[in-house]
Amino acid sequence: MDKLLIEGGRRLSGEVAISGAKNAALPILCASLLSAEPLQLRNVPRLRDVATMLRLLEQMGVQVRREGDCEVVLDSRNLDTPIAPYDMVKTMRASILVLGPLLARHGEARVSLPGGCAIGARPVEQHIRGLQAMGAEIQVEHGYIHARIADGRRRLQGSRIVTDMVTVTGTENLMMAAVLADGETTIENAAREPEVVDLADCLVSMGARISGAGSDRIRIHGVERLHGASHSVMADRIETGTYLCAAAATGGNIRLTRTSASHLDAVVDKLLDAGCEIVAEREAIRLAAPRRLKAVSVRTSPYPAFPTDMQAQFMAVNCVAEGSAVMRETIFENRFMHAVELIRLGADIRIDASNAMVTGVERLQGATVMATDLRASASLVIAGLVAEGETLIDRIYHLDRGYERIEEKLEQLGAVVRRIR
């Protein structure tokens, strides 16, 4: 199993390009199931989760063709196996995103329940209830969701759907199902994340009729069919935020290209409060940080508030900042597991239910730590970059799920990082 060895104590400086967004690419890959014509995608990141999704689609009969480093062409005209088996779904919860498109186009789908998640429960009830409101008959048995269009109808039926909670994958699944439904569907309490908007933009380029994406009320007018299209996946705002935090923690000076600050307002505001200087360009961001930051409290909430996917990285920043800060996690109930590993590096962190009190220390010390999930892994990388001596991070397969060529990009910024086996 691969590990990452980091020699800490170096300020990050220089320029690096940001990859396409994992959380946008995965639902957009699933959108290819909605049309019998090819979907050409650009800026698709080379990540473990993307590779898993492509294998799942191929298993269903989708023809996948890589063109260059970041382009993928998907052709699902020969889709013949509307099944997502457990051995694929267990490695990536986003596999549930095939449920809506399969049901809408194929009329039937059999998708394994995702199972447990290291950072807490992510229930799929919202997906199921929304599809039932559109006329799907759904049975959950033997660990699988078996869905089909009810009463011999040819298409799902438009409906008004009000979700009990804000769910990104739920919004995406229901939106994809609704684009081929008969009539109008309205999703109330919809997720507002930029990745939802990027999916909607891709679907519109395929002929869907969608309005309101990016708000809490999305309206979809179903169409008979979708056609092929070409779409470029948005930049990864979480990767962008992670490198900003890494530079901030090390007192660095960096420029990130092929990205934008437009979807990172909450993160940028907190970095400014911490003492960083940030300049937003049209397709780039510059950050310069002082030698030591000020500790800043954060509270995670759905977009456009501070993202839960940046909580761990900002905790690492606060570990070496001046003063104390409270970090409150409101999205997932088990997302402080990285705190125990940060403490191994010398961090001063106290956990009380969904709150973490972080008091900055002068320095961290390198040690062997273990990654527990994707964003926890990123926090340990940031801590390792500022720690004295060497930090060895085990189980970095989590990193490969969401960060493309992370050691190469960090080396471009002056870090000493080595992958060992």
Side-chain angles (χ1 to χ4, degrees):
M1 189 177 293
D2 287 4
K3 301 176 178 64
L4 210 60
L5 184 64
I6 303 174
E7 185 180 319
R10 286 172 169 76
R11 297 173 67 241
L12 297 188
S13 63
E15 182 174 294
V16 74
I18 296 300
S19 302
K22 172 182 85 83
N23 290 338
L26 295 176
I28 289 171
L29 290 171
C30 295
S32 66
L33 296 168
L34 291 163
S35 174
E37 298 179 15
L39 176 62
Q40 182 178 28
L41 300 176
R42 303 180 302 279
N43 202 33
V44 178
R46 283 189 173 272
L47 300 170
R48 184 186 292 265
D49 277 8
V50 169
T52 299
M53 184 65 80
L54 291 175
R55 287 199 303 272
L56 175 59
L57 294 174
E58 284 182 309
Q59 190 170 298
M60 294 177 180
V62 178
Q63 183 183 64
V64 176
R65 187 172 76 251
R66 280 273 188 186
E67 294 188 350
D69 236 12
C70 303
E71 292 193 17
V72 178
V73 178
L74 302 156
D75 187 341
S76 65
R77 74 184 69 186
N78 295 321
L79 173 69
D80 58 3
T81 309
I83 300 172
Y86 174 70
D87 62 346
M88 300 289 284
V89 175
K90 70 179 180 180
T91 64
M92 184 183 63
R93 295 186 57 90
S95 303
I96 192 69
L97 286 164
V98 302
L99 179 62
L102 282 176
L103 184 60
R105 178 168 164 232
H106 201 277
E108 187 174 9
R110 192 165 182 263
V111 179
S112 172
L113 288 166
C117 180
I119 61 174
R122 299 188 185 185
V124 298
E125 284 89 348
Q126 306 303 312
H127 306 238
I128 292 174
R129 291 174 185 169
L131 293 172
Q132 287 173 327
M134 285 190 274
E137 289 183 349
I138 296 180
Q139 292 180 314
V140 180
E141 54 186 8
H142 304 299
Y144 277 80
I145 302 169
H146 188 189
R148 65 183 184 87
I149 296 176
D151 301 327
R153 293 176 178 171
R154 191 172 58 89
R155 299 167 65 186
L156 292 169
Q157 304 298 302
S159 179
R160 179 174 178 265
I161 301 168
V162 182
T163 61
D164 293 339
M165 57 185 288
V166 177
T167 161
V168 176
T169 54
T171 298
E172 292 166 339
N173 229 343
L174 297 175
M175 186 165 63
M176 285 191 282
V179 295
L180 294 181
D182 185 14
E184 180 180 290
T185 298
T186 302
I187 304 173
E188 307 275 2
N189 199 29
R192 301 165 60 187
E193 271 71 2
E195 293 80 9
V196 173
V197 178
D198 203 33
L199 172 61
D201 289 344
C202 178
L203 293 170
V204 168
S205 73
M206 298 169 69
R209 298 175 60 194
I210 301 172
S211 61
S215 74
D216 60 3
R217 186 171 187 266
I218 302 176
R219 180 175 293 173
I220 306 108
H221 295 269
V223 297
E224 282 279 348
R225 58 181 292 275
L226 297 183
H227 52 68
S230 178
H231 179 79
S232 182
V233 176
M234 66 176 284
D236 196 320
R237 63 191 174 102
I238 304 302
E239 184 191 24
T240 302
T242 298
Y243 283 105
L244 290 176
C245 283
T250 63
N253 190 327
I254 66 169
R255 181 172 183 264
L256 304 178
T257 62
R258 292 173 54 187
T259 188
S260 167
S262 60
H263 299 138
L264 277 171
D265 287 347
V267 174
V268 167
D269 286 348
K270 292 298 181 181
L271 289 171
L272 290 171
D273 291 345
C276 296
E277 296 180 4
I278 298 177
V279 177
E281 303 174 19
R282 183 178 178 183
E283 293 185 352
I285 305 174
R286 293 179 181 271
L287 177 142
R291 282 291 181 178
R292 194 170 188 203
L293 303 172
K294 302 171 187 174
V296 178
S297 295
V298 302
R299 179 183 187 275
T300 65
S301 287
Y303 187 86
F306 193 91
T308 182
D309 278 354
M310 284 300 305
Q311 175 259 111
Q313 298 91 310
F314 218 88
M315 182 180 287
V317 173
N318 277 334
C319 284
V320 290
E322 184 178 356
S324 298
V326 176
M327 311 200 66
R328 185 177 182 194
E329 175 60 56
T330 72
I331 308 297
F332 295 116
E333 71 277 9
N334 197 25
R335 206 165 198 181
F336 284 146
M337 289 189 292
H338 49 279
V340 177
E341 300 302 308
L342 291 171
I343 291 170
R344 285 181 53 78
L345 298 171
D348 184 351
I349 305 171
R350 286 172 292 149
I351 306 296
D352 180 14
S354 60
N355 297 311
M357 171 65 79
V358 184
T359 300
V361 297
E362 286 284 344
R363 61 183 60 84
L364 298 176
Q365 296 181 336
T368 298
V369 291
M370 182 178 68
T372 53
D373 62 71
L374 172 54
R375 306 308 173 186
S377 305
S379 76
L380 298 179
V381 169
I382 294 170
L385 290 170
V386 299
E388 291 181 344
E390 292 184 339
T391 297
L392 183 66
I393 305 175
D394 199 359
R395 295 176 66 183
I396 63 164
Y397 62 84
H398 290 293
L399 275 174
D400 295 333
R401 290 182 46 231
Y403 293 95
E404 184 177 39
R405 300 181 293 108
I406 188 168
E407 64 269 34
E408 295 177 30
K409 291 187 178 185
L410 288 172
E411 285 174 349
Q412 289 178 41
L413 297 174
V416 178
V417 182
R418 183 160 53 96
R419 182 180 293 252
I420 60 177
R421 303 182 188 279

